Amino acid sequence: MDLIVSFVIFMGAMIGCIATGYTMVIALFAGLIAFAVTGYRRGHTLKDVAAMGWSGLKDAFVVIEIMFIIGFITAVWRSGGTIAFFVYYGIKLITPGVFLIITFVLCCLLSYALGTSFGVAGTVGVIFMALARAGGVNEVLTAGVVMSGIYFGDRGSPVSSSAILVAAITKTDLLGNVKRMARSGMIPLLLTFAVYAVLSFLNPVHTVDQSFLHTLESEFSVSLWCALPAVCMIVLPLLKVQVATAMIASIVSGGLISVFVQHMEVKELLKAMIFGYSAEGSLAAVMNGGGMLSMIEIVCIVALSSTYSGIFAGTDLLGSLQDKMLPVMKKTGRFGTMLIMSYVFLGIFCNQTIASMMCSDFLKKPYEHLGADREELALDLENSVILLAGTVPWAIACTVPLGFMQVGYGAVPWSLYLYMVPLCYGIQKMLRGQKDRR
């Protein structure tokens, strides 16, 4: 009964925060107190409960460091003209029949390099939506293409906060997870690209507004140097350079380009890296943002989520609930159960991070009982809850990008990549299971 009360408090606080617009950190903190009290009532001392929470929090320190580094990257990519470079030449490449193809490829590329769905939706997504409206392309379809592109990187980039979170809560190797995601996501990516290619030729852009190009040219140098920070992020990990090293190289190169190519003062650059980049005029709406302070909320969420995991593991609060998941998992399979629980937690908490944490904590023990390792749990999380968050109309992962692009939920069915990955991966696991039983 006490566990149920704790969950009611947690859910009530989360719903209250969502309804009022307050940060979910408040709800997480309220839930943390409730679960800590439950652990105390079940015979654990407060000192022991605190030690459990600290044990989980220690695992998040590396993640938190990376989060702040990502904040620096998102700032210098703006100040150094890296985002402007890709948008400028992306628009230059547009011909009537390839508008949606360019939109998808560019969103995939930038979301993978930056590791952020919201950041790309709020910059490149907004720009291409404006071009779609001006050029007579179906805006709902365009928004679905953008959603597919931004969640390609949100799922599979080594600098994605969701990929880092999943690696932290499952205690798995980040780069190993990224490689497995690349393998399982290749066929869905190609299928999605093929469908969008057909739709692109069926929905050609009639005109391309060149005024935005002139604005970019007047505010930024768009020389090839501007692409260097992205090259560092994409190429160096492929050469087996550590992700943290590649991130630092991207920051350094972006900073140097900001100063020597974009002629930004060092003082302004440092300010942008902390507080976020600030542009003027018409570019402000799509270029402003980034910086270390922009990551504070997600850092708090990761820290509190890791604390939850430590308390749940140490007190075995979820033991009885996890035991009840075993019969369900034996009937529907591990990934089938993950899909069900993904929609349950996404529907309740409306948040990708919380749903990922809850799915991991609820299903970790049943997965182990049925012989699955942590790597499989991590991959199943990435191929389900991380992507499906963008398909739940009231979830933050869906409402925020669509809000940036000013379109309705009609774009969700066109977000093909979000469905292709779970579908293809589920079929693959089912066929593999049938082969193993023979």
Side-chain angles (χ1 to χ4, degrees):
M1 184 63 184
D2 52 0
L3 182 60
I4 295 176
V5 171
S6 296
F7 270 109
V8 170
I9 292 172
F10 181 33
M11 292 169 59
M14 185 62 68
I15 292 170
C17 288
I18 293 170
T20 58
Y22 285 103
T23 175
M24 68 184 66
V25 173
I26 298 173
L28 282 169
F29 190 72
L32 178 62
I33 294 174
F35 289 122
V37 171
T38 300
Y40 174 74
R41 286 174 55 85
R42 294 195 177 188
H44 301 277
T45 67
L46 290 179
K47 183 178 180 180
D48 288 340
V49 173
M52 296 170 193
W54 175 251
S55 175
L57 180 58
K58 286 193 298 184
D59 294 334
F61 285 160
V62 174
V63 178
I64 290 172
E65 291 175 4
I66 292 177
M67 293 292 186
F68 283 130
I69 294 175
I70 291 172
F72 295 142
I73 290 174
T74 58
V76 298
W77 276 45
R78 286 170 164 86
S79 65
T82 302
I83 292 177
F85 172 88
F86 283 104
V87 171
Y88 180 84
Y89 287 103
I91 295 175
K92 281 276 193 180
L93 289 172
I94 292 176
T95 56
V98 299
F99 175 76
L100 293 179
I101 296 175
I102 295 295
T103 301
F104 179 58
V105 171
L106 192 58
C107 286
C108 285
L109 179 65
L110 285 176
S111 66
Y112 187 87
L114 279 170
T116 170
S117 54
F118 290 0
V120 176
T123 53
V124 177
V126 171
I127 293 166
F128 276 91
M129 287 303 300
L131 293 174
R133 292 185 176 104
V137 181
N138 186 310
E139 64 178 46
V140 172
L141 172 58
T142 304
V145 173
V146 172
M147 289 286 282
S148 288
I150 64 176
Y151 280 107
F152 168 79
D154 187 73
R155 165 189 175 268
S157 170
V159 294
S160 163
S161 59
S162 63
I164 294 168
L165 173 68
V166 168
I169 61 180
T170 58
K171 295 181 173 61
T172 51
D173 176 63
L174 173 62
L175 281 183
N177 291 345
V178 168
K179 292 176 182 177
R180 284 183 285 273
M181 282 189 280
R183 288 194 292 268
S184 65
M186 184 57 65
I187 292 177
L189 179 64
L190 293 175
L191 290 173
T192 302
F193 180 86
V195 174
Y196 285 155
V198 174
L199 292 173
S200 186
F201 286 106
L202 294 176
N203 294 269
V205 64
H206 299 300
T207 59
V208 177
D209 185 1
Q210 300 292 319
S211 63
F212 192 75
L213 289 178
H214 300 318
T215 304
L216 286 174
E217 284 180 315
S218 65
E219 295 294 330
F220 291 98
S221 166
V222 287
S223 69
L224 286 175
W225 286 110
C226 299
L228 184 59
V231 173
C232 292
M233 284 303 310
I234 296 172
V235 175
L236 291 182
L238 298 177
L239 299 176
K240 298 184 178 180
V241 175
Q242 291 186 347
V243 173
T245 303
M247 295 169 76
I248 292 172
S250 183
I251 293 170
V252 172
S253 60
L256 292 173
I257 292 166
S258 299
V259 174
F260 294 106
V261 177
Q262 306 300 347
H263 307 294
M264 188 178 191
E265 294 184 4
V266 174
K267 179 181 177 181
E268 291 299 313
L269 172 62
L270 295 175
K271 181 180 177 181
M273 291 175 67
I274 301 297
F275 298 100
Y277 177 70
S278 179
E280 296 180 356
S282 60
L283 290 179
V286 294
M287 288 297 179
N288 286 359
M292 187 184 76
L293 294 185
S294 70
M295 304 302 293
I296 291 294
E297 183 176 9
I298 186 63
V299 164
C300 291
I301 291 172
V302 169
L304 287 170
S305 300
S306 298
T307 306
Y308 272 58
S309 298
I311 292 175
F312 286 155
T315 60
D316 197 31
L317 287 180
L318 302 181
S320 59
L321 295 175
Q322 289 172 326
D323 290 339
K324 293 178 182 178
M325 296 304 302
L326 277 172
V328 177
M329 195 171 285
K330 289 178 180 177
K331 289 183 179 179
T332 63
R334 292 188 289 270
F335 188 63
T337 305
M338 180 68 77
L339 291 175
I340 294 170
M341 298 308 296
S342 294
Y343 272 121
V344 168
F345 288 124
L346 286 168
I348 294 172
F349 296 112
C350 315
N351 179 267
Q352 182 193 58
T353 301
I354 307 303
S356 301
M357 180 194 76
M358 297 305 295
C359 283
S360 175
D361 287 329
F362 264 83
L363 300 179
K364 190 178 297 181
K365 186 176 177 180
Y367 263 63
E368 291 176 356
H369 184 85
L370 294 179
D373 55 23
R374 293 175 180 176
E375 285 71 23
E376 181 179 345
L377 174 63
L379 187 58
D380 284 9
L381 284 166
E382 292 285 6
N383 289 343
S384 57
V385 61
I386 297 300
L387 292 173
L388 296 178
T391 70
V392 177
W394 55 89
I396 295 170
C398 181
T399 58
V400 171
L402 294 184
F404 285 147
M405 295 182 283
Q406 298 181 349
V407 294
Y409 301 122
V412 173
W414 294 106
S415 307
L416 301 182
Y417 186 73
L418 279 62
Y419 303 102
M420 287 288 190
V421 172
L423 178 62
C424 293
Y425 182 67
I427 292 173
Q428 177 187 354
K429 291 200 75 170
M430 183 178 64
L431 295 176
R432 187 186 302 159
Q434 291 175 350
K435 182 178 179 180
D436 292 341
R437 287 193 293 269
R438 290 173 183 169

